Amino acid sequence: MREVKYAQLSDLEPIVAIDQQVIGHANRRGEIEKAIRNQACLVIKEGKATGFLLFNTQFFENAFVSLIIIAPEERRKGYASSLLKYFEKNSPTEKIFSSTNQSNIEMQKVFQKNGYTPSGMIENLDPGDPELIYFKYKKNQ
């Protein structure tokens, strides 16, 4: 059964393992642990951890989904959408922002599928690959 919840410290190792599988190193371990301690990390499980979402509220005092990572073998099964939907219901702010590189077509499709609106672009973060900003109002249910 698919379950989304706020990550606990017991979820740290499986989450770091997924992140390492995707980016090739464990450099974000400290960031992930801090997010878990601050209740700013969601984990999705179906028997085992299959992905996670990190967020903060430092984007002009609005919620910002800074990272969504799904294990490569579990992609295109709706896990990213499940994380976003859970976050939308539980967001600490009414406005939710996120972003992805222009080259990340799959994540752009996830945002579009979930009703996020393009909200601008930031140049010069990654040379030749602008960051696309997305926006949505919190779901009130």
Side-chain angles (χ1 to χ4, degrees), residues 61 75 86 102 135:
E61 298 181 9
R75 292 184 179 163
Y86 185 92
Q102 190 172 43
F135 163 79

Side-chain angles (χ1 to χ4, degrees), residues 114-126:
N114 286 283
Y116 283 74
T117 304
S119 191
M121 179 172 54
I122 300 173
E123 301 267 2
N124 304 311
L125 289 174
D126 294 320

